[in-house]
C-alpha cells in the first residue's frame, strides 16, 4: 500500500525568483509601451487635473485653488447645459437604443442578401461626421421646400421649424445622431446573435413559440450582457455630445441645445485671445468624476443581472 502523496509546498515569490523567471526581460520588453502610455495617456490627465486649479490661457498661469470650480458651479448657463444634456441622453435612449436591437434581430431573420443589409446599416458610420451634419442641415431646412418638409407635406404634415425652434431643435439633433451611430451597434448585436445556440430556437419552435415569443424569451435574454454594456456606452457617449449641437445650432436657439461639452468649449475658446482653460478643465474634471461614479454604480448594480 502506497503512502498518500504529500501536498506540494508552494514556493514564496521573492525578487530573486522574479528575476530568475524572466521578470526583468518582460519589464524591459514592456517599457517602451509603458512610457508611451504614461506620456500620452496619463500625462494629459494629470496636466488636466493641475490646470483645473489654475487660471490660465496657456501663456500665463496663476494658481487659484478651487476658484475655477466655484465659477463653473455658479455659471447660470450650467444648469441649462446639464438639463439639455440629460434631455439629449433621454431622447437618445428612447429612440436610439431600441432601434439597433430591432434592426439586428430583423436582419438576423433575413435569409437572403444579409450581407447587403449589413452594409446598408453600417453605411452611415462610414460617412464623415461633419459631412453627415452638413447633409442633415440641408434636410432640416425649415422652409416649405425643405427636403423633410416636402416629404411630410405629401401626407399633409408640416412645415416644421426643425432647428429653428427651441422645442424641436434637440429632437432633431437626436434624430441625426441616431442615424449616424446606429450602424455600429447593429453590427455588434448581429455578432452577438451568432453566439445564441440554435437549439434554443428549435426548442422554442417545438413549444409552439412564434417569432415574437422567440425574440422575447430566447434572443433578448441571450443578449442581456451585451445590452447592458451597450447601454452604459451609449449613456457615456450621449453625456459627452458635442459635434451635433456645435455644428447644427451652436447651442441655440436661446441655449436650447447647449450641452456640457459645448459649454466646456466656450470656456476654452470663447475669444480669439484664448479663453479660461482653467474653468474648461475644471468642468471637464467634474464631468469625468460624475461619469466615473455613474459607470461604477451601473456595473455594480448590473453585475448579477448580466451574468445570471
Amino acid at each position: 500500500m502506497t503512502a498518500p502523496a504529500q501536498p506540494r509546498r508552494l514556493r514564496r515569490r521573492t525578487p530573486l525568483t522574479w528575476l530568475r523567471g524572466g521578470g526583468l526581460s518582460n519589464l524591459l520588453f514592456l517599457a517602451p509601451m509603458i512610457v508611451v502610455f504614461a506620456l500620452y495617456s496619463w500625462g494629459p490627465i494629470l496636466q488636466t487635473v493641475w490646470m483645473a486649479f489654475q487660471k490660465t490661457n496657456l501663456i500665463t498661469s496663476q494658481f487659484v485653488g478651487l476658484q475655477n470650480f466655484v465659477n463653473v458651479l455658479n455659471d447660470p448657463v450650467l444648469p441649462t447645459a446639464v438639463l439639455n444634456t440629460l434631455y439629449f441622453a433621454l431622447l437618445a435612449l428612447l429612440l436610439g437604443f431600441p432601434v439597433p436591437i430591432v434592426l439586428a434581430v430583423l436582419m438576423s431573420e433575413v435569409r437572403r442578401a444579409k450581407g447587403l443589409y449589413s452594409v446598408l446599416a453600417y453605411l452611415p458610420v462610414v460617412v464623415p461626421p461633419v459631412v453627415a451634419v452638413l447633409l442633415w442641415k440641408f434636410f432640416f431646412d425649415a422652409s416649405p421646400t425643405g427636403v423633410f418638409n416636402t416629404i411630410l407635406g405629401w401626407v399633409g404634415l408640416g412645415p416644421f421649424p426643425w432647428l429653428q425652434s427651441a422645442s424641436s431643435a434637440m429632437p432633431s439633433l437626436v434624430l441625426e445622431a441616431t442615424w449616424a451611430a446606429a450602424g455600429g451597434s447593429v453590427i455588434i448585436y448581429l455578432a452577438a446573435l451568432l453566439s445564441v445556440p440554435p437549439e434554443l430556437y428549435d426548442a422554442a419552435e417545438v413549444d409552439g413559440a412564434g417569432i415574437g415569443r422567440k425574440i422575447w424569451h430566447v434572443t433578448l435574454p441571450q443578449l442581456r450582457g451585451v445590452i447592458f454594456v451597450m447601454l452604459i456606452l451609449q449613456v457615456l457617449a450621449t453625456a459627452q455630445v458635442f459635434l451635433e449641437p456645435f455644428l447644427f445650432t451652436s447651442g441655440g436657439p436661446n441655449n436650447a441645445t447647449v450641452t456640457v461639452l459645448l459649454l466646456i468649449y466656450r470656456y476654452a475658446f470663447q475669444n480669439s485671445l484664448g479663453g479660461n482653460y482653467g474653468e474648461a478643465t475644471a468642468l471637464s474634471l467634474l464631468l469625468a468624476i460624475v461619469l466615473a461614479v455613474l459607470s461604477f454604480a451601473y456595473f455594480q448594480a448590473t453585475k448579477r443581472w448580466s451574468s445570471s
Side-chain angles (χ1 to χ4, degrees):
M1 182 175 180
T2 59
Q6 295 294 328
R8 186 177 179 181
R9 180 177 297 179
L10 297 177
R11 297 177 59 186
R12 189 176 63 178
R13 292 187 62 86
T14 64
L16 184 59
T17 59
W18 178 76
L19 286 174
R20 290 175 177 175
L24 183 59
S25 60
N26 294 335
L27 181 60
L28 292 176
F29 180 77
L30 293 174
M33 183 174 61
I34 295 175
V35 171
V36 171
F37 184 81
L39 288 177
Y40 295 100
S41 182
W42 286 104
I45 293 176
L46 295 177
Q47 186 178 10
T48 298
V49 175
W50 175 241
M51 286 178 61
F53 299 94
Q54 293 181 313
K55 182 177 179 61
T56 175
N57 59 2
L58 301 183
I59 300 177
T60 59
S61 301
Q62 178 186 0
F63 183 80
V64 293
L66 298 176
Q67 189 59 44
N68 287 330
F69 296 92
V70 174
N71 295 341
V72 166
L73 294 176
N74 289 331
D75 189 344
V77 183
L78 180 62
T80 302
V82 172
L83 291 177
N84 288 339
T85 304
L86 293 176
Y87 183 40
F88 183 94
L90 178 62
L91 289 179
L93 288 176
L94 293 178
L95 176 63
F97 190 72
V99 169
I101 300 177
V102 173
L103 290 177
V105 171
L106 292 178
M107 290 168 59
S108 67
E109 297 293 329
V110 175
R111 303 303 177 189
R112 309 172 74 176
K114 184 179 296 187
L116 175 62
Y117 292 122
S118 300
V119 171
L120 293 177
Y122 194 73
L123 187 60
V125 182
V126 180
V127 179
V130 175
V131 175
V133 168
L134 295 177
L135 182 65
W136 277 72
K137 200 170 185 178
F138 173 74
F139 292 162
F140 281 139
D141 186 359
S143 66
T145 57
V147 176
F148 285 160
N149 282 336
T150 299
I151 296 174
L152 294 175
W154 296 342
V155 292
L157 299 177
F160 295 101
W162 301 111
L163 301 174
Q164 282 68 39
S165 171
S167 60
S168 62
M170 191 65 80
S172 300
L173 302 189
V174 172
L175 185 64
E176 186 277 337
T178 300
W179 172 85
S185 301
V186 169
I187 298 301
I188 293 175
Y189 287 127
L190 282 174
L193 286 171
L194 296 176
S195 64
V196 180
E199 296 81 7
L200 297 179
Y201 292 110
D202 296 337
E205 289 182 359
V206 171
D207 292 338
I211 295 179
R213 292 182 60 188
K214 285 194 296 183
I215 292 174
W216 184 257
H217 294 288
V218 178
T219 304
L220 293 181
Q222 292 296 314
L223 295 180
R224 180 166 44 189
V226 178
I227 290 175
F228 280 140
V229 173
M230 294 298 293
L231 178 60
I232 187 61
L233 290 178
Q234 177 158 342
V235 170
L236 295 178
T238 54
Q240 302 174 72
V241 60
F242 169 76
L243 184 67
E244 286 79 10
F246 177 69
L247 292 180
F248 271 119
T249 60
S250 298
N254 297 323
N255 286 333
T257 57
V258 63
T259 60
V260 174
L261 229 63
L262 185 57
L263 187 59
I264 293 173
Y265 175 86
R266 288 181 177 179
Y267 285 148
F269 305 104
Q270 58 187 349
N271 58 64
S272 59
L273 298 178
N276 192 333
Y277 293 96
E279 293 182 0
T281 52
L283 185 53
S284 301
L285 190 59
L286 290 176
L287 178 62
I289 292 173
V290 170
L291 294 181
V293 172
L294 175 63
S295 301
F296 177 79
Y298 177 83
F299 281 114
Q300 289 298 316
T302 60
K303 183 186 300 183
R304 185 181 62 179
W305 300 341
S306 59
S307 59
S308 61

